[in-house]
């Protein structure tokens, strides 16, 4: 089936919800119409004039970028400027642009996890927590014969996750009473007669952002015309979300060995390194993009090295004094999101049997080279 931009946005936001993004981040549909039909999607780190030409040539009607091309508010739209010309070309060729930025950095299984996996980190956790998942509890009353069907539907929809356990529920058996009134079409009982039915009360928890799909799954599996259920907000914190990851190398190595590994696995022309070449590296913090603000978190959490981009001279000096080694692979190391996001969308397209091709950009947007 053909899809619209809005459909692909739905897939992206199911994977990396917008409410995960840091305050003020310029994410979402930035240019174009959500109603545009799409059969090719171009995935890129940055939106440049060369990337726009690439999209035009291949007939892509949607560009999904990590870095928002409209980060600062536009004061004018002069098509004689580089940015104005680029925007005009996008509009002229009906190409929409969607930005998925810090929500992709933060989400589990997103950019920072991709970086950690590439570097071989184990037992990772969030480096800088930005929020905790809001949890809710669902209690639903189900006839005995349908208990398993409803329980499995809830688990499949994402309810019942506690730590490393899934499909967690609590059941209690009791008697439900009801009288079908005129106009009712009861699954059990007759109109005008009070019925007593042995039922199970199933209780489970779910992340608040999954409420719609959890309820839809429950109602689909439940046999009753009118389903009795309750939803409660919970005070306890759910899973931590945040920027960066920190974890351990399977085997310690020297800073020089690890820096070469970073350079090779991230396919970089170079990386900057600060620290003793023979320093022992075991606990590693990683932060996609500009990580200057998160050096202290890495120090507090006992990292031997922080891998992040755009490091400032004085920030590096202070970090070294505090005992933290640093590897700067450059901001462009985030290019790994291209392959990662392609996999996410390709899997969703197959699942939905959607006729859309997901294409990684071949344009190298890294502005730096070494002489």
């Amino acid at each position: 089936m053909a899809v619209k931009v809005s459909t692909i946005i739905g897939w992206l936001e199911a994977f990396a919800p917008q409410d995960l993004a840091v305050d003020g981040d310029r994410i979402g549909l930035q240019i174009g119409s959500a109603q545009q039909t799409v059969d090719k999607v171009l995935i890129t780190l940055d939106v440049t004039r060369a990337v726009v030409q690439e999209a035009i040539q291949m007939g892509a009607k949607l560009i999904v970028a990590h870095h928002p091309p409209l980060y600062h508010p536009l004061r004018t739209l002069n098509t004689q400027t580089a940015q104005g010309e680029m925007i005009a070309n996008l509009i002229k060729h009906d190409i929409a642009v969607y930005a998925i930025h810090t929500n992709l950095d933060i989400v589990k299984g997103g950019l920072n996890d991709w970086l950690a996996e590439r570097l071989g980190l184990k037992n990772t956790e969030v480096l800088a927590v930005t929020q905790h998942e809001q949890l809710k509890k669902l209690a639903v009353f189900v006839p005995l014969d349908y208990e398993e069907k409803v329980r499995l539907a809830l688990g499949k929809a994402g309810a019942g996750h506690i730590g490393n356990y899934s499909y967690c529920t609590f059941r209690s058996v009791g008697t439900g009473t009801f009288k079908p009134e005129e106009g009712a079409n009861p699954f059990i009982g007759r109109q005008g007669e009070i019925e007593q039915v042995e039922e199970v009360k199933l209780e489970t928890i779910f992340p608040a952002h999954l409420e719609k799909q959890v309820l839809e799954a429950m109602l689909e599996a439940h046999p009753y015309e009118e389903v009795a259920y309750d939803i409660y907000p919970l005070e306890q914190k759910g899973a931590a979300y945040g920027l960066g990851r920190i974890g351990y190398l399977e085997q310690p190595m020297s800073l020089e060995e690890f820096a070469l590994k970073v350079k090779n696995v991230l396919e970089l022309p170079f990386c900057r390194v600060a620290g003793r070449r023979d320093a022992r590296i075991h606990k590693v913090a990683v932060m996609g993009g500009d990580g200057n603000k998160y050096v202290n978190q890495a120090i507090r959490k006992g990292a031997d090295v922080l891998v992040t981009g755009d490091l400032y001279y004085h920030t590096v000096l202070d970090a070294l004094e505090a005992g933290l080694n640093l590897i700067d692979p450059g901001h462009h190391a985030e290019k790994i999101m291209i392959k990662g996001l392609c996999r996410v969308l390709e899997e969703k397209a197959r699942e939905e049997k959607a006729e859309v091709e997901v294409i990684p950009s071949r344009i190298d947007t890294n502005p730096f080279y070494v002489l």
Side-chain angles (χ1 to χ4, degrees):
M1 66 171 183
V3 298
K4 292 183 177 180
V5 168
S6 58
T7 301
I8 296 170
I9 289 175
W11 297 349
L12 291 166
E13 294 181 1
F15 174 67
Q18 286 203 9
D19 60 8
L20 290 181
V22 300
D23 289 344
D25 195 11
R26 311 295 185 179
I27 58 172
L29 183 62
Q30 293 207 317
I31 298 168
S33 168
Q35 297 307 307
Q36 173 71 43
T37 301
V38 178
D39 57 14
K40 291 180 182 177
V41 180
L42 182 66
I43 310 297
T44 184
L45 177 63
D46 306 288
V47 182
T48 64
R49 285 183 293 174
V51 170
V52 172
Q53 285 303 316
E54 182 184 29
I56 292 169
Q57 289 168 10
M58 70 176 58
K61 293 300 182 182
L62 173 62
I63 297 173
V64 178
H66 185 49
H67 294 142
L70 302 181
Y71 196 82
H72 301 289
L74 286 175
R75 296 183 183 277
T76 61
L77 187 54
N78 182 346
T79 58
Q80 291 182 317
T81 67
Q83 187 184 38
E85 177 193 351
M86 183 182 76
I87 294 170
N89 259 337
L90 288 164
I91 294 171
K92 178 181 177 181
H93 291 91
D94 294 321
I95 300 172
V97 177
Y98 184 89
I100 180 168
H101 192 209
T102 54
N103 47 332
L104 184 63
D105 294 331
I106 288 170
V107 71
K108 293 180 181 180
L111 189 144
N112 279 297
D113 283 316
W114 296 331
L115 282 171
E117 289 166 11
R118 285 280 190 96
L119 299 181
L121 303 189
K122 308 295 182 184
N123 302 319
T124 57
E125 61 182 60
V126 172
L127 176 63
V129 175
T130 55
Q131 60 183 279
H132 284 85
E133 201 168 51
Q134 182 188 349
L135 296 177
K136 292 187 176 184
K137 174 176 276 192
L138 169 68
V140 57
F141 301 87
V142 188
L144 282 175
D145 292 344
Y146 280 78
E147 176 193 352
E148 183 177 10
K149 183 178 180 181
V150 173
R151 177 167 47 79
L152 292 176
L154 289 169
K156 187 175 180 181
H161 279 267
I162 302 176
N164 293 325
Y165 296 85
S166 59
Y167 289 84
C168 299
T169 63
F170 181 80
R171 70 189 295 270
S172 50
V173 179
T175 303
T177 64
F178 55 88
K179 184 175 77 170
E181 299 290 351
E182 185 177 348
N185 183 25
F187 176 74
I188 297 173
R190 298 180 179 180
Q191 287 186 13
E193 297 181 7
I194 296 177
E195 295 291 338
Q196 294 192 25
V197 180
E198 192 172 17
E199 294 180 326
V200 172
K201 181 183 180 184
L202 281 179
E203 297 178 77
T204 190
I205 64 170
F206 62 89
H209 74 271
L210 293 181
E211 182 170 336
K212 182 175 183 289
Q213 69 189 59
V214 167
L215 288 181
E216 286 177 351
M218 181 267 289
L219 293 171
E220 177 69 22
H222 204 292
Y224 284 178
E225 184 180 24
E226 299 291 345
V227 181
Y229 64 91
D230 301 306
I231 294 177
Y232 310 95
L234 300 178
E235 292 295 328
Q236 65 260 47
K237 293 179 179 179
Y241 285 97
L243 293 162
R245 299 293 184 264
I246 186 165
Y248 295 87
L249 294 173
E250 199 162 337
Q251 295 293 332
M253 61 181 69
S254 71
L255 176 61
E256 183 171 4
E257 289 172 324
F258 183 61
L260 287 172
K261 178 176 181 175
V262 171
K263 178 177 177 290
N264 291 332
V265 302
L266 296 182
E267 301 173 355
L268 304 170
F270 68 94
C271 60
R272 300 190 298 166
V273 185
R276 288 192 347 265
R277 292 173 182 266
D278 62 350
R280 180 180 181 274
I281 304 300
H282 187 206
K283 192 172 187 180
V284 178
V286 61
M287 172 80 70
D290 176 347
N292 284 281
K293 294 179 181 178
Y294 304 97
V295 167
N296 287 334
Q297 278 92 336
I299 294 169
R300 283 197 294 270
K301 292 200 170 186
D304 299 315
V305 65
L306 170 63
V307 181
T308 194
D310 299 346
L311 286 168
Y312 306 144
Y313 179 85
H314 292 289
T315 299
V316 173
L317 289 179
D318 291 343
L320 291 174
E321 289 294 316
L324 178 67
N325 300 291
L326 294 157
I327 298 174
D328 185 344
H331 207 121
H332 193 258
E334 290 187 314
K335 66 182 180 181
I336 68 165
M337 58 73 53
I338 296 175
K339 289 183 180 177
L341 203 55
C342 280
R343 288 194 301 269
V344 170
L345 289 182
E346 285 168 350
E347 183 178 334
K348 191 63 180 179
R350 283 193 299 269
E351 181 184 317
E352 299 293 330
K353 295 181 173 57
E355 296 174 2
V356 60
E357 185 180 0
V358 183
I359 305 169
S361 174
R362 296 184 180 276
I363 302 297
D364 182 3
T365 61
N366 189 356
F368 295 107
Y369 60 90
V370 180
L371 291 176

